[in-house]
Amino acid sequence: MPRASRDPLTHEVVDLIGSVVARYHEEYDRAAATHSLTGAQARVLALIALDPLPMRQIARALRCEPSNVTGIVDRLEARGLVERRPDPSDRRVKVAAATADGTRTAEQLRDSLDFAREPLAALSRADRTTLRDLLQRMIGEHSDA
Amino acid sequence: MPRASRDPLTHEVVDLIGSVVARYHEEYDRAAATHSLTGAQARVLALIALDPLPMRQIARALRCEPSNVTGIVDRLEARGLVERRPDPSDRRVKVAAATADGTRTAEQLRDSLDFAREPLAALSRADRTTLRDLLQRMIGEHSDA
DNA sequence: TATTGTTATACTCTATAACTATA
DNA sequence: TATAGTTATAGAGTATAACAATA
């Protein structure tokens, strides 16, 4: 049976997705650097700015070991963007939450993500709808993250 | 003027692209790990397996500092996947080339990239053509990389 | 002088394993 | 015992600056 990756059309699409991935990261890291944040720090800040999360769950969302989150949150906390709060219902748990300053930074971060604007601006509303539907079907029901 | 990122449809598409990026990396890193390679090592190996490249140009392709490439190629060379060759026309230049073993590993790596098959298999040929065209227009003429 | 590649240094991210305090 | 978070450790990627060899 022929491999999809051997199909020229699929190969083109995979290459394009590779370009999208590269572009996504460039823009994300550049936006993060604007605030003197690393990519990982920006991701954690953006995540808990939505709502506070226990360290463990941050690790799950980032798909990394919990021990790594300690350092990332340490550095965010040292800059006053994040704070650790005790969980009254389980004193083992520490909930990481964005401070007012962190929330503001997260908002600026999101706004400065040109990726949302510039590349997609080349597409009409109908095109974006088509793209959304195709990507949805491609990604499938990953209700995971 | 309204920001595209505030548009719900664009927001959806950006979120989906985020999922694609995450998925792409998961699969890429997993495929690399199968051969005990890191993501960066796999990228360099895949790059120079196409054709040998001076250290400087590898750095340009990876958009990182040339000093980093030294270490990555060191580790690939230590495993016999890559070798440094002198450039007769300019004795400052060292050209990194995949060995026979490295070329084979690069091929296996490409074949084991399920990303090409599984998610795109959900799309018909017509869908993939549409997706290709949309992504092409979105990425634009980045003849750079 | 400018360029190529390397070295030295420091920081961050990453996984693993051992530790603590709770449960 | 099991779990949440941390610490300790080691390896890898990254940028910066200084260096040797060559242009």
Side-chain angles (χ1 to χ4, degrees):
Chain A
M1 121 186 180
R3 305 281 287 275
S5 50
R6 300 268 167 74
D7 175 59
L9 173 58
T10 300
H11 186 72
E12 263 187 291
V13 175
V14 170
D15 270 4
L16 280 166
I17 290 174
S19 299
V20 170
V21 169
R23 173 109 183 225
Y24 185 93
H25 271 114
E26 275 173 49
E27 305 239 358
Y28 200 97
D29 288 350
R30 192 165 49 72
T34 297
H35 299 275
S36 301
L37 294 172
T38 65
Q41 288 165 12
R43 264 191 302 281
V44 169
L45 181 57
L47 182 67
I48 65 184
L50 298 175
D51 69 339
L53 234 47
M55 304 295 281
R56 209 88 189 177
Q57 291 190 38
I58 297 175
R60 265 209 322 155
L62 264 66
R63 297 174 189 278
C64 74
E65 293 301 315
S67 58
N68 301 328
V69 179
T70 298
I72 297 173
V73 169
D74 278 352
R75 290 181 271 277
L76 287 171
E77 195 167 31
R79 292 185 42 192
L81 301 174
V82 162
E83 61 181 11
R84 284 169 164 94
R85 296 175 186 161
D87 180 339
S89 70
D90 185 339
R91 279 160 43 196
R92 293 172 303 180
V93 173
K94 288 176 189 170
V95 176
T99 62
D101 201 3
T103 302
R104 208 164 352 103
T105 300
E107 282 164 4
Q108 291 171 4
L109 200 61
R110 181 160 43 78
D111 281 354
S112 63
L113 248 188
D114 286 338
F115 186 81
R117 289 196 293 284
E118 207 200 313
L120 287 176
L123 302 184
S124 71
R125 183 161 191 86
D127 286 339
R128 273 177 283 163
T129 304
T130 305
L131 180 57
R132 180 201 58 188
D133 293 343
L134 287 173
L135 292 178
Q136 256 169 1
R137 283 167 49 204
M138 195 181 119
I139 290 293
E141 309 311 324
H142 267 276
S143 57
D144 188 5
Chain B
M1 124 184 179
R3 303 283 286 276
S5 50
R6 300 268 168 74
D7 175 58
L9 174 59
T10 300
H11 187 72
E12 264 187 291
V13 176
V14 171
D15 271 4
L16 280 166
I17 290 174
S19 298
V20 171
V21 169
R23 172 109 183 223
Y24 185 93
H25 271 113
E26 276 172 49
E27 305 238 357
Y28 200 96
D29 289 350
R30 193 165 48 73
T34 296
H35 300 274
S36 301
L37 294 171
T38 65
Q41 287 165 13
R43 264 191 301 281
V44 169
L45 181 58
L47 182 66
I48 66 185
L50 298 176
D51 69 338
L53 235 46
M55 304 296 280
R56 208 89 189 173
Q57 291 189 37
I58 297 176
R60 265 209 323 153
L62 265 65
R63 298 175 189 282
C64 73
E65 293 300 315
S67 58
N68 301 328
V69 179
T70 298
I72 297 172
V73 169
D74 278 352
R75 290 181 271 277
L76 287 170
E77 196 168 31
R79 292 186 41 192
L81 301 173
V82 162
E83 61 181 11
R84 285 169 165 93
R85 296 175 186 161
D87 181 341
S89 71
D90 185 340
R91 277 160 43 198
R92 293 172 302 179
V93 172
K94 287 176 191 171
V95 176
T99 62
D101 201 3
T103 303
R104 207 163 354 101
T105 300
E107 282 165 4
Q108 290 170 5
L109 201 59
R110 181 161 42 77
D111 281 355
S112 62
L113 248 188
D114 285 337
F115 187 80
R117 289 195 295 284
E118 207 200 314
L120 286 176
L123 302 184
S124 72
R125 184 160 192 86
D127 286 338
R128 273 177 283 166
T129 304
T130 306
L131 180 58
R132 180 199 60 188
D133 293 344
L134 287 173
L135 291 177
Q136 255 169 2
R137 284 167 50 205
M138 194 180 121
I139 290 294
E141 309 312 323
H142 269 275
S143 57
D144 187 6

PDB file of all heavy atoms in Angstrom, chain B residues 115-138:
ATOM      1  N   PHE B 115       3.145  12.027  10.958  1.00  0.00           N
ATOM      2  CA  PHE B 115       2.384  13.250  10.758  1.00  0.00           C
ATOM      3  C   PHE B 115       1.902  13.379   9.321  1.00  0.00           C
ATOM      4  O   PHE B 115       0.840  13.912   9.056  1.00  0.00           O
ATOM      5  CB  PHE B 115       3.236  14.463  11.115  1.00  0.00           C
ATOM      6  CG  PHE B 115       2.461  15.733  11.089  1.00  0.00           C
ATOM      7  CD1 PHE B 115       1.659  16.067  12.161  1.00  0.00           C
ATOM      8  CD2 PHE B 115       2.487  16.570  10.001  1.00  0.00           C
ATOM      9  CE1 PHE B 115       0.913  17.226  12.148  1.00  0.00           C
ATOM     10  CE2 PHE B 115       1.744  17.732   9.975  1.00  0.00           C
ATOM     11  CZ  PHE B 115       0.955  18.063  11.054  1.00  0.00           C
ATOM     12  N   ALA B 116       2.706  12.868   8.397  1.00  0.00           N
ATOM     13  CA  ALA B 116       2.358  12.961   6.994  1.00  0.00           C
ATOM     14  C   ALA B 116       1.131  12.109   6.671  1.00  0.00           C
ATOM     15  O   ALA B 116       0.344  12.457   5.803  1.00  0.00           O
ATOM     16  CB  ALA B 116       3.530  12.512   6.133  1.00  0.00           C
ATOM     17  N   ARG B 117       1.014  11.024   7.378  1.00  0.00           N
ATOM     18  CA  ARG B 117      -0.023  10.070   7.007  1.00  0.00           C
ATOM     19  C   ARG B 117      -1.311  10.235   7.812  1.00  0.00           C
ATOM     20  O   ARG B 117      -2.348  10.587   7.259  1.00  0.00           O
ATOM     21  CB  ARG B 117       0.494   8.651   7.223  1.00  0.00           C
ATOM     22  CG  ARG B 117       1.550   8.257   6.226  1.00  0.00           C
ATOM     23  CD  ARG B 117       1.749   6.769   6.243  1.00  0.00           C
ATOM     24  NE  ARG B 117       2.289   6.286   7.507  1.00  0.00           N
ATOM     25  CZ  ARG B 117       3.549   6.411   7.869  1.00  0.00           C
ATOM     26  NH1 ARG B 117       4.394   7.044   7.088  1.00  0.00           N
ATOM     27  NH2 ARG B 117       3.975   5.934   9.003  1.00  0.00           N
ATOM     28  N   GLU B 118      -1.193   9.980   9.098  1.00  0.00           N
ATOM     29  CA  GLU B 118      -2.390   9.864   9.920  1.00  0.00           C
ATOM     30  C   GLU B 118      -3.336  11.059   9.861  1.00  0.00           C
ATOM     31  O   GLU B 118      -4.488  10.900   9.467  1.00  0.00           O
ATOM     32  CB  GLU B 118      -1.982   9.559  11.365  1.00  0.00           C
ATOM     33  CG  GLU B 118      -3.050   8.811  12.129  1.00  0.00           C
ATOM     34  CD  GLU B 118      -2.827   8.981  13.618  1.00  0.00           C
ATOM     35  OE1 GLU B 118      -1.676   8.829  14.075  1.00  0.00           O
ATOM     36  OE2 GLU B 118      -3.807   9.282  14.299  1.00  0.00           O
ATOM     37  N   PRO B 119      -2.867  12.278  10.197  1.00  0.00           N
ATOM     38  CA  PRO B 119      -3.841  13.379  10.228  1.00  0.00           C
ATOM     39  C   PRO B 119      -4.348  13.723   8.839  1.00  0.00           C
ATOM     40  O   PRO B 119      -5.524  14.015   8.654  1.00  0.00           O
ATOM     41  CB  PRO B 119      -3.058  14.545  10.815  1.00  0.00           C
ATOM     42  CG  PRO B 119      -1.775  13.982  11.306  1.00  0.00           C
ATOM     43  CD  PRO B 119      -1.527  12.741  10.540  1.00  0.00           C
ATOM     44  N   LEU B 120      -3.472  13.661   7.855  1.00  0.00           N
ATOM     45  CA  LEU B 120      -3.880  14.052   6.513  1.00  0.00           C
ATOM     46  C   LEU B 120      -4.738  12.994   5.836  1.00  0.00           C
ATOM     47  O   LEU B 120      -5.444  13.281   4.869  1.00  0.00           O
ATOM     48  CB  LEU B 120      -2.645  14.357   5.653  1.00  0.00           C
ATOM     49  CG  LEU B 120      -1.959  15.675   6.001  1.00  0.00           C
ATOM     50  CD1 LEU B 120      -0.700  15.860   5.184  1.00  0.00           C
ATOM     51  CD2 LEU B 120      -2.907  16.848   5.776  1.00  0.00           C
ATOM     52  N   ALA B 121      -4.688  11.791   6.370  1.00  0.00           N
ATOM     53  CA  ALA B 121      -5.502  10.722   5.798  1.00  0.00           C
ATOM     54  C   ALA B 121      -6.986  11.022   5.951  1.00  0.00           C
ATOM     55  O   ALA B 121      -7.820  10.486   5.226  1.00  0.00           O
ATOM     56  CB  ALA B 121      -5.163   9.387   6.461  1.00  0.00           C
ATOM     57  N   ALA B 122      -7.295  11.904   6.907  1.00  0.00           N
ATOM     58  CA  ALA B 122      -8.698  12.252   7.141  1.00  0.00           C
ATOM     59  C   ALA B 122      -9.235  13.148   6.023  1.00  0.00           C
ATOM     60  O   ALA B 122     -10.439  13.379   5.940  1.00  0.00           O
ATOM     61  CB  ALA B 122      -8.854  12.951   8.494  1.00  0.00           C
ATOM     62  N   LEU B 123      -8.331  13.627   5.182  1.00  0.00           N
ATOM     63  CA  LEU B 123      -8.761  14.535   4.123  1.00  0.00           C
ATOM     64  C   LEU B 123      -8.700  13.860   2.753  1.00  0.00           C
ATOM     65  O   LEU B 123      -7.766  13.109   2.467  1.00  0.00           O
ATOM     66  CB  LEU B 123      -7.862  15.781   4.098  1.00  0.00           C
ATOM     67  CG  LEU B 123      -7.783  16.595   5.395  1.00  0.00           C
ATOM     68  CD1 LEU B 123      -6.936  17.835   5.180  1.00  0.00           C
ATOM     69  CD2 LEU B 123      -9.166  16.978   5.895  1.00  0.00           C
ATOM     70  N   SER B 124      -9.702  14.158   1.950  1.00  0.00           N
ATOM     71  CA  SER B 124      -9.712  13.646   0.584  1.00  0.00           C
ATOM     72  C   SER B 124      -8.652  14.360  -0.246  1.00  0.00           C
ATOM     73  O   SER B 124      -8.073  15.355   0.187  1.00  0.00           O
ATOM     74  CB  SER B 124     -11.087  13.885  -0.040  1.00  0.00           C
ATOM     75  OG  SER B 124     -11.249  15.263  -0.305  1.00  0.00           O
ATOM     76  N   ARG B 125      -8.437  13.852  -1.431  1.00  0.00           N
ATOM     77  CA  ARG B 125      -7.453  14.474  -2.316  1.00  0.00           C
ATOM     78  C   ARG B 125      -7.845  15.930  -2.631  1.00  0.00           C
ATOM     79  O   ARG B 125      -6.995  16.833  -2.627  1.00  0.00           O
ATOM     80  CB  ARG B 125      -7.370  13.662  -3.611  1.00  0.00           C
ATOM     81  CG  ARG B 125      -6.314  14.175  -4.540  1.00  0.00           C
ATOM     82  CD  ARG B 125      -5.885  13.153  -5.573  1.00  0.00           C
ATOM     83  NE  ARG B 125      -4.688  13.642  -6.224  1.00  0.00           N
ATOM     84  CZ  ARG B 125      -3.469  13.452  -5.746  1.00  0.00           C
ATOM     85  NH1 ARG B 125      -3.295  12.748  -4.648  1.00  0.00           N
ATOM     86  NH2 ARG B 125      -2.428  13.965  -6.352  1.00  0.00           N
ATOM     87  N   ALA B 126      -9.121  16.147  -2.868  1.00  0.00           N
ATOM     88  CA  ALA B 126      -9.596  17.507  -3.158  1.00  0.00           C
ATOM     89  C   ALA B 126      -9.377  18.406  -1.946  1.00  0.00           C
ATOM     90  O   ALA B 126      -8.953  19.563  -2.074  1.00  0.00           O
ATOM     91  CB  ALA B 126     -11.079  17.468  -3.532  1.00  0.00           C
ATOM     92  N   ASP B 127      -9.639  17.852  -0.752  1.00  0.00           N
ATOM     93  CA  ASP B 127      -9.442  18.623   0.480  1.00  0.00           C
ATOM     94  C   ASP B 127      -7.980  19.010   0.644  1.00  0.00           C
ATOM     95  O   ASP B 127      -7.646  20.136   1.022  1.00  0.00           O
ATOM     96  CB  ASP B 127      -9.886  17.798   1.697  1.00  0.00           C
ATOM     97  CG  ASP B 127     -11.396  17.700   1.793  1.00  0.00           C
ATOM     98  OD1 ASP B 127     -12.073  18.565   1.206  1.00  0.00           O
ATOM     99  OD2 ASP B 127     -11.890  16.763   2.446  1.00  0.00           O
ATOM    100  N   ARG B 128      -7.110  18.052   0.374  1.00  0.00           N
ATOM    101  CA  ARG B 128      -5.680  18.328   0.541  1.00  0.00           C
ATOM    102  C   ARG B 128      -5.204  19.393  -0.443  1.00  0.00           C
ATOM    103  O   ARG B 128      -4.359  20.213  -0.137  1.00  0.00           O
ATOM    104  CB  ARG B 128      -4.870  17.035   0.377  1.00  0.00           C
ATOM    105  CG  ARG B 128      -4.748  16.252   1.685  1.00  0.00           C
ATOM    106  CD  ARG B 128      -4.024  14.956   1.488  1.00  0.00           C
ATOM    107  NE  ARG B 128      -4.890  13.955   0.855  1.00  0.00           N
ATOM    108  CZ  ARG B 128      -4.463  12.828   0.317  1.00  0.00           C
ATOM    109  NH1 ARG B 128      -3.178  12.558   0.316  1.00  0.00           N
ATOM    110  NH2 ARG B 128      -5.305  11.982  -0.222  1.00  0.00           N
ATOM    111  N   THR B 129      -5.787  19.351  -1.633  1.00  0.00           N
ATOM    112  CA  THR B 129      -5.442  20.382  -2.617  1.00  0.00           C
ATOM    113  C   THR B 129      -5.885  21.755  -2.118  1.00  0.00           C
ATOM    114  O   THR B 129      -5.138  22.730  -2.188  1.00  0.00           O
ATOM    115  CB  THR B 129      -6.128  20.077  -3.966  1.00  0.00           C
ATOM    116  OG1 THR B 129      -5.750  18.769  -4.400  1.00  0.00           O
ATOM    117  CG2 THR B 129      -5.720  21.097  -5.018  1.00  0.00           C
ATOM    118  N   THR B 130      -7.098  21.800  -1.598  1.00  0.00           N
ATOM    119  CA  THR B 130      -7.600  23.071  -1.048  1.00  0.00           C
ATOM    120  C   THR B 130      -6.718  23.548   0.092  1.00  0.00           C
ATOM    121  O   THR B 130      -6.336  24.724   0.163  1.00  0.00           O
ATOM    122  CB  THR B 130      -9.048  22.888  -0.535  1.00  0.00           C
ATOM    123  OG1 THR B 130      -9.851  22.350  -1.584  1.00  0.00           O
ATOM    124  CG2 THR B 130      -9.618  24.205  -0.060  1.00  0.00           C
ATOM    125  N   LEU B 131      -6.376  22.619   0.976  1.00  0.00           N
ATOM    126  CA  LEU B 131      -5.539  22.968   2.126  1.00  0.00           C
ATOM    127  C   LEU B 131      -4.188  23.488   1.660  1.00  0.00           C
ATOM    128  O   LEU B 131      -3.680  24.496   2.172  1.00  0.00           O
ATOM    129  CB  LEU B 131      -5.361  21.734   3.031  1.00  0.00           C
ATOM    130  CG  LEU B 131      -4.507  21.929   4.280  1.00  0.00           C
ATOM    131  CD1 LEU B 131      -5.064  23.041   5.167  1.00  0.00           C
ATOM    132  CD2 LEU B 131      -4.408  20.629   5.081  1.00  0.00           C
ATOM    133  N   ARG B 132      -3.623  22.798   0.671  1.00  0.00           N
ATOM    134  CA  ARG B 132      -2.330  23.234   0.144  1.00  0.00           C
ATOM    135  C   ARG B 132      -2.405  24.672  -0.373  1.00  0.00           C
ATOM    136  O   ARG B 132      -1.572  25.514  -0.049  1.00  0.00           O
ATOM    137  CB  ARG B 132      -1.875  22.318  -0.992  1.00  0.00           C
ATOM    138  CG  ARG B 132      -0.542  22.722  -1.594  1.00  0.00           C
ATOM    139  CD  ARG B 132      -0.360  22.114  -2.957  1.00  0.00           C
ATOM    140  NE  ARG B 132      -1.423  22.533  -3.890  1.00  0.00           N
ATOM    141  CZ  ARG B 132      -1.599  22.044  -5.101  1.00  0.00           C
ATOM    142  NH1 ARG B 132      -0.807  21.086  -5.538  1.00  0.00           N
ATOM    143  NH2 ARG B 132      -2.570  22.472  -5.879  1.00  0.00           N
ATOM    144  N   ASP B 133      -3.465  24.958  -1.151  1.00  0.00           N
ATOM    145  CA  ASP B 133      -3.592  26.292  -1.732  1.00  0.00           C
ATOM    146  C   ASP B 133      -3.771  27.359  -0.661  1.00  0.00           C
ATOM    147  O   ASP B 133      -3.196  28.443  -0.743  1.00  0.00           O
ATOM    148  CB  ASP B 133      -4.774  26.315  -2.717  1.00  0.00           C
ATOM    149  CG  ASP B 133      -4.497  25.439  -3.928  1.00  0.00           C
ATOM    150  OD1 ASP B 133      -3.320  25.090  -4.144  1.00  0.00           O
ATOM    151  OD2 ASP B 133      -5.459  25.099  -4.657  1.00  0.00           O
ATOM    152  N   LEU B 134      -4.570  27.034   0.349  1.00  0.00           N
ATOM    153  CA  LEU B 134      -4.805  28.007   1.426  1.00  0.00           C
ATOM    154  C   LEU B 134      -3.519  28.276   2.194  1.00  0.00           C
ATOM    155  O   LEU B 134      -3.181  29.429   2.490  1.00  0.00           O
ATOM    156  CB  LEU B 134      -5.895  27.495   2.367  1.00  0.00           C
ATOM    157  CG  LEU B 134      -7.325  27.533   1.821  1.00  0.00           C
ATOM    158  CD1 LEU B 134      -8.283  26.835   2.775  1.00  0.00           C
ATOM    159  CD2 LEU B 134      -7.759  28.977   1.593  1.00  0.00           C
ATOM    160  N   LEU B 135      -2.795  27.212   2.517  1.00  0.00           N
ATOM    161  CA  LEU B 135      -1.558  27.381   3.279  1.00  0.00           C
ATOM    162  C   LEU B 135      -0.528  28.139   2.452  1.00  0.00           C
ATOM    163  O   LEU B 135       0.201  28.985   2.969  1.00  0.00           O
ATOM    164  CB  LEU B 135      -0.998  26.023   3.708  1.00  0.00           C
ATOM    165  CG  LEU B 135      -1.817  25.265   4.762  1.00  0.00           C
ATOM    166  CD1 LEU B 135      -1.193  23.907   5.051  1.00  0.00           C
ATOM    167  CD2 LEU B 135      -1.943  26.072   6.046  1.00  0.00           C
ATOM    168  N   GLN B 136      -0.479  27.840   1.162  1.00  0.00           N
ATOM    169  CA  GLN B 136       0.455  28.543   0.286  1.00  0.00           C
ATOM    170  C   GLN B 136       0.179  30.042   0.289  1.00  0.00           C
ATOM    171  O   GLN B 136       1.102  30.847   0.413  1.00  0.00           O
ATOM    172  CB  GLN B 136       0.325  28.015  -1.145  1.00  0.00           C
ATOM    173  CG  GLN B 136       1.470  27.104  -1.551  1.00  0.00           C
ATOM    174  CD  GLN B 136       1.182  26.390  -2.859  1.00  0.00           C
ATOM    175  OE1 GLN B 136       0.149  26.602  -3.473  1.00  0.00           O
ATOM    176  NE2 GLN B 136       2.101  25.545  -3.261  1.00  0.00           N
ATOM    177  N   ARG B 137      -1.082  30.397   0.189  1.00  0.00           N
ATOM    178  CA  ARG B 137      -1.418  31.820   0.176  1.00  0.00           C
ATOM    179  C   ARG B 137      -1.167  32.443   1.533  1.00  0.00           C
ATOM    180  O   ARG B 137      -0.842  33.624   1.646  1.00  0.00           O
ATOM    181  CB  ARG B 137      -2.883  31.993  -0.233  1.00  0.00           C
ATOM    182  CG  ARG B 137      -3.083  31.793  -1.734  1.00  0.00           C
ATOM    183  CD  ARG B 137      -4.529  31.652  -2.095  1.00  0.00           C
ATOM    184  NE  ARG B 137      -5.346  32.703  -1.518  1.00  0.00           N
ATOM    185  CZ  ARG B 137      -6.643  32.588  -1.272  1.00  0.00           C
ATOM    186  NH1 ARG B 137      -7.266  31.453  -1.547  1.00  0.00           N
ATOM    187  NH2 ARG B 137      -7.317  33.586  -0.745  1.00  0.00           N
ATOM    188  N   MET B 138      -1.339  31.644   2.573  1.00  0.00           N
ATOM    189  CA  MET B 138      -1.137  32.154   3.929  1.00  0.00           C
ATOM    190  C   MET B 138       0.344  32.400   4.207  1.00  0.00           C
ATOM    191  O   MET B 138       0.716  33.448   4.730  1.00  0.00           O
ATOM    192  CB  MET B 138      -1.686  31.121   4.909  1.00  0.00           C
ATOM    193  CG  MET B 138      -1.847  31.640   6.311  1.00  0.00           C
ATOM    194  SD  MET B 138      -2.495  30.329   7.367  1.00  0.00           S
ATOM    195  CE  MET B 138      -1.178  30.250   8.556  1.00  0.00           C
TER     196      MET B 138
END
